């Protein structure tokens, strides 16, 4: 195992660390909030203050990702996001280091290069406006360790049973971050199966590692009395999500998603496919250990692609991180074998990230934004990035109203899929409906659905909404969709106490 870390270049790895720190600069902006990251933080806050996940906080991800965020909220409180950014730097440094060593250890190039580590960090952390510690990012390091343990055991012949046990544990951890994470374990085992006959005791050891994590998750759900809610919210709703195919307020398109993939990762996609074809054409001229590792990587590439396309039309940028390391090894291998023009192709990966970083420089402060404002569309992409990092007029008015007219309120409810707005306004979510997109689709009786929505999960009936409002009646409600007005019409006596005022385009209801 220790041979794996030999023959590296500490100076280049120090440069890699500095590079990763520079890529994190936009994430340290005081108003940078990722959508999914905001949901996880809001759910974690509810758990830290005595709530139970899936009972008092709704989101459809598996439990382990919430445990991760709860640990940070419990440990760092108001400094959670700062702590997450620092953790991210360390996390990506070790991920890039291990990835780079894997590339060199299996002689995908004859001499030591830092290209694999640099490009993994660059493409995982770019573009800055889509970067947050999502499930795919958090699966990266466990997956790399899972590949390493498989290499040590099945390729290098280090027959330690602990390696198999850890493969099972890490596969279950990936599943606990996101259900598609199971494809990493499936891809790994299928790749092993193509060159190695697994013995029953080896399969059992992997299974025991996997079930260790599953048992811990089950016991947590059992002792928090949340198994029923987990099955409904954390499992069955995912089938509903695949059916509706988008979050509230989103416009999604499979072909637009593909266009975004090629805009951000096009060079890696093209070089990766060429690398696979090139390696396959020379497969039987390669050393046996190289054939085995490439078989593992190809199998993982295929199963990761399946995991991505299960999202349907929702080809979000962070989905691509699941396939990136396996495709990237083939891409860098092919480029380095082409000498000059190959290295030129690798440099092309920097064009779009550098462009987005230049945009960040201008949109990160109102003063610099004024320099380019006359040259951009008022409702365009660049303007939207400025509003993400700086309070819009709407958000400023809401903050002013909360601070001056309702300073005692610490929890609000937003009747829209705007989790990042809670963090911008420095408020918590007062109801269990943290992921309001999930709530919106489970309320299949709303007029927005026109009776056309069929659910796998249990619909959130009007009586369920009434119980939740009785349990904790919000003192301040922001409604941008007219949905709360429909709630008032259906529960008129109970909600009649709310007064309404306009804050620009939003209706605000308060007690």
């Amino acid at each position: 195992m220790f041979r794996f870390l030999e023959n590296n270049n500490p100076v280049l790895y120090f440069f890699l660390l500095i590079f990763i720190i520079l890529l994190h600069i936009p994430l340290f902006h005081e108003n940078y909030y990722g959508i999914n990251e905001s949901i996880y933080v809001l759910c974690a806050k509810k758990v830290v203050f005595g709530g139970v996940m899936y009972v008092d906080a709704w989101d459809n991800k598996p439990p382990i990702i919430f445990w991760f965020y709860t640990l940070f909220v419990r440990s760092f409180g108001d400094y959670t996001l700062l702590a997450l950014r620092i953790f991210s730097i360390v996390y990506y440094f070790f991920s890039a280091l291990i990835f780079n060593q894997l590339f060199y250890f299996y002689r995908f190039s004859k001499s030591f290069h830092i290209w694999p580590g640099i490009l993994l960090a660059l493409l995982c952390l770019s573009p800055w406006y889509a970067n947050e510690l999502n499930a795919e990012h958090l699966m990266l390091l466990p997956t790399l360790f899972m590949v390493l343990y498989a290499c040590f055991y099945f390729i290098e012949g280090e027959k330690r049973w602990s390696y198999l046990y850890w493969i099972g544990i890490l596969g279950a951890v990936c599943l606990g971050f996101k259900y598609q994470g199971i494809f990493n374990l499936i891809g790994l085992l299928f790749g092993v199966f193509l060159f190695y006959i697994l013995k029953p005791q080896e399969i059992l050891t992997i299974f025991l590692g996997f079930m260790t994590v599953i048992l811990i998750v089950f016991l947590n759900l059992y002792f928090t009395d949340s198994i029923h809610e987990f099955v409904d919210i954390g499992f069955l709703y995912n089938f509903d999500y695949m059916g509706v195919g988008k979050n509230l307020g989103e416009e999604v398109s499979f072909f637009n998603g593909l266009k975004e993939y090629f805009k951000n990762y096009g060079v890696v996609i093209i070089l990766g496919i060429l690398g696979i074809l090139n390696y396959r054409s020379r497969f039987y001229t390669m050393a046996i250990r190289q054939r085995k590792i490439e078989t593992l990587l190809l199998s993982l590439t295929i199963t990761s692609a399946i995991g991505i396309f299960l999202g349907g039309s929702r080809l979000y940028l962070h989905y691509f991180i699941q396939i990136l390391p396996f495709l990237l090894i083939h891409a860098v291998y092919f480029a380095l074998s082409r000498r000059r023009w190959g290295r030129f192709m690798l440099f092309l990966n920097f064009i779009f990230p550098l462009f987005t970083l230049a945009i960040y420089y201008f949109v990160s402060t109102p003063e610099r934004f004024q320099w380019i404002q006359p040259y951009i569309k008022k409702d365009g992409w660049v303007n939207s990035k400025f509003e993400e990092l700086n309070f819009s007029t709407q958000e400023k008015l809401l903050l002013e109203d909360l601070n001056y007219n309702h300073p005692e309120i610490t929890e609000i409810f937003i009747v829209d899929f705007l989790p990042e707005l809670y963090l911008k306004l420095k408020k918590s979510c007062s109801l269990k409906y943290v992921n309001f997109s999930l709530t919106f689709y489970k309320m299949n009786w709303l007029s927005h659905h026109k009776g056309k929505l069929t659910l796998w999960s249990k619909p959130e009936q009007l009586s369920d909404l009434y119980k939740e409002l009785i349990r904790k009646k919000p003192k301040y409600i922001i409604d941008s969709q007219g949905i709360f007005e429909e709630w008032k019409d259906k529960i008129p006596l109970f909600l009649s106490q709310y007064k309404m005022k306009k804050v620009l385009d939003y209706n605000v209801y308060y007690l």
Side-chain angles (χ1 to χ4, degrees), residues 184-196 198 295-296 299-300 302-303:
N184 290 356
L185 181 60
I186 292 171
L188 186 81
L189 295 179
F190 183 74
V192 168
F193 174 77
L194 294 175
F195 63 81
Y196 183 93
L198 284 161
T295 300
L296 278 182
S299 178
L300 283 161
I302 293 169
T303 54

Side-chain angles (χ1 to χ4, degrees), residues 36 40-41 44 53-54 59-71 133-138 173 175-178:
N36 288 332
Y40 303 147
V41 170
M53 190 62 213
Y54 308 114
D59 192 50
N60 58 305
K61 299 293 192 304
I64 292 180
I65 192 165
F66 299 109
W67 295 358
F68 172 83
Y69 273 87
T70 299
L71 174 65
L133 278 173
N134 248 312
E136 289 80 5
H137 297 80
L138 291 171
V173 167
L175 174 66
F177 282 130
K178 188 177 182 180

Side-chain angles (χ1 to χ4, degrees), residues 126-151:
S126 300
W128 61 266
Y129 52 81
N131 186 27
E132 48 186 319
L133 278 173
N134 248 312
E136 289 80 5
H137 297 80
L138 291 171
M139 286 193 296
L140 177 62
L141 195 54
T143 299
L144 289 175
F145 271 112
M146 194 162 55
V147 171
L148 281 187
Y149 288 133
C151 289

Side-chain angles (χ1 to χ4, degrees), residues 334-348:
F334 181 76
L336 292 178
S337 67
R338 302 296 107 173
R339 297 186 179 180
R340 291 184 180 178
W341 78 265
R343 286 170 173 77
F344 171 75
M345 291 294 290
L346 292 180
F347 273 112
L348 292 180

Side-chain angles (χ1 to χ4, degrees), residues 338-493:
R338 302 296 107 173
R339 297 186 179 180
R340 291 184 180 178
W341 78 265
R343 286 170 173 77
F344 171 75
M345 291 294 290
L346 292 180
F347 273 112
L348 292 180
N349 285 288
F350 286 83
I351 293 178
F352 191 72
L354 287 174
F355 168 73
T356 61
L357 286 172
I359 294 299
Y360 168 77
Y361 175 77
F362 289 107
V363 301
S364 57
T365 66
E367 293 77 19
R368 288 196 290 268
F369 182 68
Q370 290 179 354
W371 302 347
I372 62 170
Q373 194 169 14
Y375 310 103
I376 62 172
K377 294 180 181 178
K378 187 175 181 181
D379 56 349
W381 172 76
V382 177
N383 191 74
S384 70
K385 300 306 154 193
F386 171 75
E387 291 193 347
E388 285 179 18
L389 295 181
N390 300 272
F391 281 87
S392 66
T393 304
Q394 179 75 73
E395 292 165 343
K396 287 177 182 175
L397 290 173
L398 286 171
L399 187 63
E400 182 181 338
D401 184 55
L402 277 165
N403 287 341
Y404 290 100
N405 297 324
H406 310 276
E408 75 288 352
I409 294 177
T410 58
E411 294 186 331
I412 64 174
F413 184 65
I414 302 173
V415 193
D416 201 350
F417 185 61
L418 297 169
E420 69 280 13
L421 185 55
Y422 284 103
L423 300 190
K424 264 193 168 184
L425 298 176
K426 301 189 184 305
K427 304 296 178 184
S428 297
C429 180
S430 58
L431 300 178
K432 67 182 179 181
Y433 306 127
V434 176
N435 183 337
F436 189 75
S437 181
L438 184 158
T439 306
F440 174 75
Y441 289 114
K442 281 180 72 68
M443 291 181 177
N444 61 351
W445 44 268
L446 288 171
S447 61
H448 293 67
H449 304 307
K450 299 179 181 178
K452 295 181 179 179
L453 197 60
T454 303
L455 301 175
W456 288 64
S457 61
K458 172 181 167 290
E460 183 73 353
Q461 302 289 359
L462 191 62
S463 58
D464 299 317
L465 170 64
Y466 180 69
K467 291 174 185 176
E468 176 65 10
L469 290 171
I470 284 181
R471 188 177 70 89
K472 194 159 190 181
K473 203 170 186 179
K475 295 181 179 178
Y476 192 93
I477 296 174
I478 300 170
D479 183 15
S480 62
Q481 301 278 343
I483 296 172
F484 184 73
E485 188 63 35
E486 186 173 349
W487 291 0
K488 281 191 68 179
D489 290 341
K490 293 184 183 297
I491 320 176
L493 292 177

Side-chain angles (χ1 to χ4, degrees), residues 273-304:
I273 293 172
L274 290 175
I276 291 171
L277 295 175
N278 180 266
Y279 213 105
R280 289 282 115 184
S281 68
R282 304 168 54 201
F283 186 73
Y284 292 104
T285 66
M286 299 291 184
I288 292 176
R289 68 196 294 266
Q290 283 186 305
R291 286 190 235 167
K292 290 178 178 179
I293 183 63
E294 198 276 337
T295 300
L296 278 182
L297 294 173
L298 180 60
S299 178
L300 283 161
T301 303
I302 293 169
T303 54
S304 296

